[in-house]
Amino acid sequence: MHFKKRLYNLLKRIIRYPYKERIYALMWKVAHLPFIKLFAYFFVEVLGGYKIYKKLKRSYGKGTVFYICPHHGTGDIYNIGLYFHSYLKKNDIKKYEFLFRGKSEQKVGRLFDIHGDTILSDRDTLRLLRFTRFAYPYAADIVQLHHYPLPDEANEHFANLEGIYEGLSFSTMFKKVVMNLSDEIEPMQPHFCVEKNIEDIFEEKGLKKGKTVILAPYSSSAQVINMDIWEDIAEKLCKAGYAVATNCILGKERPISGTTELAFEYKYAKTYLEYAGFFVGARSGLCDIISSTNCRKIVLTPFWSPTLAWLGSAGKTMRFYGMWPNYKHTDTIEVEYNYDSSVQIPDKVFDLIYSPEISEYEIHLQSDLLPKFNDKVAIALSFDEYFSPYASVTIQSIVELSNSANTYDIILLNDGISPRTKKMLESSFEGLDNFSVRFVDCKSVFADKAYHVERGYRSVIYNRLVLPSILRNFEKIIYLDADIIMNSDIAELYSLQMGQNLIAAVRDLPMIAWASDPQNPEYDNIVNKLKLTVPTNYINSGVLIFNVNRFNEELPFEFITTYIENHLLRWMDQDVFNKLCDTKILLLSQKYNVLTSLRDDESIIRSSNESQLIYSYKEAMGDPKILHFISCSFLNIDNPPRWYEKYWRIAKKSPYYELLQLRALMALRKV
Amino acid sequence: MPNLFFVLYRRLFKAFSGYILWHNIVHQNRISGDCAVVLLPSPDDEECARYSIKYLKAFLKYNPTYKEVVFLSAYHQLDDLIKEYQMKDYIRTVIPLSKKKVDQLINFYNANLNDKRLIVASLDMPKGRNGLDYLHTNMLSKEEIFLIGLYNITTGPEFNQFSGKKSSAAGEDTYAF
């Protein structure tokens, strides 16, 4: 596009903002100009790194080689330590200094006599490494000891190589990829110290020699198990006569209730664990450090969680970071679990502690969400605590219009709702054998991601994107927004043939009407930004039907999250569906998602360049099957939208009726 | 050893030249967000050039963000490879680059270019990339490293053709939650 036109469009967009925000918008835009970013990067990052480099050279003198593990993690340092001295010997390095990322890492380094007094912060590490890359080959005395060096822009997709083949484990990466050592080189054993007062310490804390279980629930890299699971484990072990202690940082982490607080330094870990006899911990660097100690160790490893510190596919934690693939110690059992199967952990751990022999070193506790009925169709909603009352009306409408000859498998995705809310929602299904309702807490899916939301939308709107991944044993998923009510039996959609399409949805007629006008922002979004093949097929994501297998084949979840991270989307998840499913959307009749709002949609469509859409609109209005009260327009009781009486008639049967009335009154007051 | 300070400023100048070059390439060829730009930085690396063409179709299939590809090539026999693998339909254009221009572009890349469209089709460039180190494991070939690490292909017949003993769930994009 011509430069002047681009500048004009940019200024037009900025002028739309309120006055104060125009300055910020302009500053943001200028700061993100590529050549400004280039100079800022050079003067801040590269020269900042150069300053750190000069300081290191001055402090440690000529001829010193600086080693650094670019990532946080005691497990990484442990694996470096296993082969570090062999590596130094092979490369004839006499003078070195190890730059640690934190005090914990330094303490682990001491176990292997790796000396290094410097601890670099995250910012300094990144600057130093950016400088090294920029100045290459002149700063070659800074060596990164990791198979995934920083900055990571150069790494493309090399993280895919982790765990992709058997034998290509975490430890192998350090030994072979990073240090290029031969198979004959044996790992070095860490030097633990003996805690001479161990007997007194155990006696003081009421712990028993050989019959104490040390629990280590805290992990910076894989925190997935809820505390109540740990409490369950502790209770079972206490009842069976074991003494139970929690390894935690004094004053910062609380011990599991019913257990004794027990803190020890890494150098004494061997003494403590061998005296205690048992260890149960979440997969973390501590598990690597104690891997060589002689006690029964049970390590709990997540199958997958989006909050894991490392990139990769499901099952990677055990394949790549697993205790058996890396250390092959016969007194360690690794238990792999996922969210649903974590409830099995307490019983499993108890059995493993109690049994005299170890028969397997890797146990997989997994339970997928399986269909309850033969039709393998799920009906899913996604909402948070605030939207629960609206979801209850949606659910009530499904129940009201259901047919006893059909079955309804309802999955309620939520952001962590209270048990009371769950009970209230379940009350709509009491006595109904043809209904199944299950709750899936999706809070951790996007917990570490700050996706763009605006105009009052909440981050829970992205949850629908994860549906095909977690319900992959279903053939179809019918997704409904929580501001929708049914006006017909939802089972009508069960028999829809999806073919090769990824989703089925209904076109958003007002949006298409707006997008037909080049002066309208929706035109810019749909035509210029999303560049849809057929802009008049832009769909509304309030009612979706997923073709699960096809969707998972073409759009794996990691791909979707990468797409969202790299694009600023005006209509958030709706734009994701429109763009990524472009040309593979089965268009449903308009009556399956009739938008009812405070707007005059009919006038919008009539006055647009796509006025022929009015026929589809009229047809849908004549026989609406699903009513979508966008932006919760049903709350507008003084100027109600069309069909609001249907909504309130169903709402009367919801356990949240009084709350809904209150919210409608509060909405009235705000106006 | 030269004065590092001057080296850095010379590199900054090269990076800025690389920025101008990148800007011109993108705007003259109207490269949009769904067009990948594959840079072949080495005139001698026949293997990477071959793999970049051989797996181009699979790359576009398994990375649906991209609909077409532009090649920036310091390798001068690329047209022969395109003919050999019959990939003409997937390539919008091939832009030959001199070593000097590749150097400028790499310097710009090292200065945090951060443009997801650009894929440097080399196992050891830019600095920081350690693709060749994976050969020390004796479990992976250059072709596999290229396919998996650069073209992000971890499924399908192109991936399965390699005989490495795959981990049980590797290659499947399944997520249990």
Side-chain angles (χ1 to χ4, degrees), chain A residues 1 6 33-35 37-39 41-43 46-47 50 53-54 130-139 142 144 146-151 153-168 172-173 176-181 183 303-306 312-315 319 338-340 366-368 440-445 466 469-470 472 531 533 552-559 562-563 566-567 579-580 582, chain B residues 1-20 22-23 27 30-34 59 61-67 106-141 144-155 159 162-177:
Chain A
M1 206 192 280
R6 279 169 61 208
L33 288 169
F35 67 89
K37 275 169 70 175
L38 167 65
F39 284 105
Y41 180 85
F42 178 80
F43 286 106
V46 175
L47 291 186
Y50 179 48
Y53 178 70
K54 275 199 310 188
R130 282 178 167 160
F131 155 75
T132 317
R133 189 169 89 167
F134 200 79
Y136 182 79
Y138 295 109
I142 304 276
Q144 293 194 57
H146 203 280
H147 59 278
Y148 197 81
L150 289 181
E153 297 92 27
N155 292 329
E156 284 296 346
H157 305 286
F158 283 102
N160 289 343
L161 291 164
E162 295 174 352
I164 204 155
Y165 292 133
E166 280 182 29
L168 202 58
T172 312
M173 288 290 194
K176 300 270 181 75
V177 176
V178 178
M179 300 185 193
N180 193 13
L181 298 171
D183 288 330
F303 180 67
W304 181 70
S305 164
S313 58
R319 285 199 307 271
N338 66 1
Y339 182 82
D340 281 319
Q366 285 173 48
S367 68
D368 288 338
V440 177
D441 185 343
C442 286
K443 197 173 184 177
S444 59
V445 176
V466 82
S469 320
I470 60 176
R472 61 181 187 280
K531 292 194 175 118
T533 310
N552 282 330
E553 266 171 26
E554 285 238 3
L555 300 176
F557 184 62
E558 204 175 58
F559 175 79
T562 309
Y563 180 82
N566 292 324
H567 296 83
K579 178 63 186 174
L580 297 185
D582 191 20
Chain B
M1 185 171 123
N3 189 316
L4 208 43
F5 203 67
F6 291 121
V7 168
L8 292 176
Y9 273 94
R10 269 209 304 273
R11 296 263 168 102
L12 173 64
F13 177 74
K14 278 188 187 173
F16 186 70
S17 306
Y19 156 69
I20 305 258
W22 175 251
H23 187 269
H27 289 285
R30 297 179 197 275
I31 293 174
S32 57
D34 58 5
F59 167 73
K61 182 183 173 192
Y62 295 110
N63 294 276
T65 319
Y66 305 117
K67 294 207 163 37
I106 294 284
N107 274 291
F108 179 47
Y109 188 97
N110 286 340
N112 209 28
L113 163 60
N114 227 3
D115 194 323
K116 298 283 179 213
R117 293 173 292 189
L118 180 64
I119 297 161
V120 181
S122 165
L123 294 182
D124 56 354
M125 281 172 73
K127 159 74 177 121
R129 186 170 291 181
N130 59 349
L132 289 176
D133 291 345
Y134 285 88
L135 296 172
H136 301 154
T137 60
N138 298 319
M139 293 172 68
L140 295 160
S141 63
E144 275 172 287
I145 299 168
F146 188 99
L147 186 77
I148 298 166
L150 292 180
Y151 269 7
N152 191 26
I153 296 168
T154 55
T155 187
F159 171 72
F162 295 107
S163 57
K165 191 166 180 225
K166 305 211 175 20
S167 304
S168 52
E172 293 169 25
D173 284 309
T174 54
Y175 292 93
F177 178 73

Side-chain angles (χ1 to χ4, degrees), chain A residues 338-358:
Chain A
N338 66 1
Y339 182 82
D340 281 319
S341 65
S342 60
V343 292
Q344 302 173 35
I345 290 175
D347 287 332
K348 196 66 195 172
V349 164
F350 181 76
D351 289 342
L352 292 170
I353 296 266
Y354 212 67
S355 69
E357 281 170 17
I358 297 174

Side-chain angles (χ1 to χ4, degrees), chain A residues 648-659:
Chain A
W648 285 101
R649 184 179 57 75
I650 294 172
K652 257 190 202 169
K653 297 177 187 172
S654 156
Y656 285 99
Y657 179 57
E658 287 79 15
L659 179 56

Side-chain angles (χ1 to χ4, degrees), chain A residues 496-647:
Chain A
L496 187 75
Q497 295 300 321
M498 299 287 294
Q500 293 300 304
N501 293 296
L502 306 185
I503 58 172
V506 174
R507 293 188 301 172
D508 193 322
L509 298 184
M511 196 73 80
I512 295 167
W514 283 325
S516 66
D517 173 13
Q519 302 303 316
N520 196 291
E522 301 310 333
Y523 176 89
D524 185 46
N525 185 46
I526 294 174
V527 176
N528 294 334
K529 285 209 180 106
L530 296 181
K531 292 194 175 118
L532 298 186
T533 310
V534 182
T536 50
N537 283 351
Y538 185 88
I539 55 121
N540 180 282
S541 62
V543 176
L544 296 168
I545 305 175
F546 291 90
N547 184 356
V548 177
N549 287 336
R550 283 288 294 129
F551 194 95
N552 282 330
E553 266 171 26
E554 285 238 3
L555 300 176
F557 184 62
E558 204 175 58
F559 175 79
I560 295 173
T561 52
T562 309
Y563 180 82
I564 300 172
E565 278 155 22
N566 292 324
H567 296 83
L568 190 66
L569 301 161
R570 182 170 164 77
W571 291 102
M572 296 149 283
D573 65 291
Q574 187 162 282
D575 282 352
V576 174
F577 284 116
N578 275 286
K579 178 63 186 174
L580 297 185
C581 301
D582 191 20
T583 71
K584 291 174 189 159
I585 302 177
L586 176 67
L587 294 177
L588 296 172
S589 163
Q590 291 302 130
K591 46 192 173 186
Y592 288 109
N593 186 358
V594 175
L595 303 179
T596 169
S597 68
L598 304 176
R599 302 183 303 232
D600 185 357
D601 285 348
E602 188 174 338
S603 304
I604 292 169
I605 297 168
R606 279 193 192 284
S607 60
S608 73
N609 296 339
E610 299 289 340
S611 53
Q612 75 281 5
L613 295 172
I614 196 65
Y615 300 109
S616 307
Y617 177 80
K618 287 272 188 202
E619 189 200 11
M621 287 294 155
D623 180 28
K625 302 274 189 185
I626 299 178
L627 295 166
H628 186 175
F629 294 87
I630 49 174
S631 306
C632 300
S633 53
F634 46 79
L635 291 175
N636 216 300
I637 52 177
D638 65 336
N639 178 23
R642 199 166 167 183
W643 292 302
Y644 84 103
E645 73 285 350
K646 284 187 192 280
Y647 186 92

Side-chain angles (χ1 to χ4, degrees), chain B residues 37-57:
Chain B
V37 181
V38 178
L39 169 65
L40 294 162
S42 169
D44 307 315
D45 194 350
E46 192 260 342
E47 282 172 313
C48 281
R50 177 174 291 276
Y51 304 145
S52 67
I53 299 295
K54 183 178 175 186
Y55 296 109
L56 190 62
K57 194 174 168 187

Side-chain angles (χ1 to χ4, degrees), chain A residues 288-355:
Chain A
D288 296 285
I289 295 163
I290 58 144
S291 58
S292 60
T293 58
N294 290 323
C295 76
R296 184 169 293 190
K297 299 177 279 289
I298 297 163
V299 174
L300 303 173
T301 298
F303 180 67
W304 181 70
S305 164
T307 59
L308 287 174
W310 42 82
L311 307 166
S313 58
K316 174 182 165 177
T317 312
M318 200 175 218
R319 285 199 307 271
F320 185 66
Y321 296 101
M323 301 300 288
W324 182 257
N326 284 287
Y327 307 115
K328 294 197 172 21
H329 287 127
T330 53
D331 55 6
T332 308
I333 311 153
E334 195 156 17
V335 178
E336 188 183 54
Y337 63 93
N338 66 1
Y339 182 82
D340 281 319
S341 65
S342 60
V343 292
Q344 302 173 35
I345 290 175
D347 287 332
K348 196 66 195 172
V349 164
F350 181 76
D351 289 342
L352 292 170
I353 296 266
Y354 212 67
S355 69

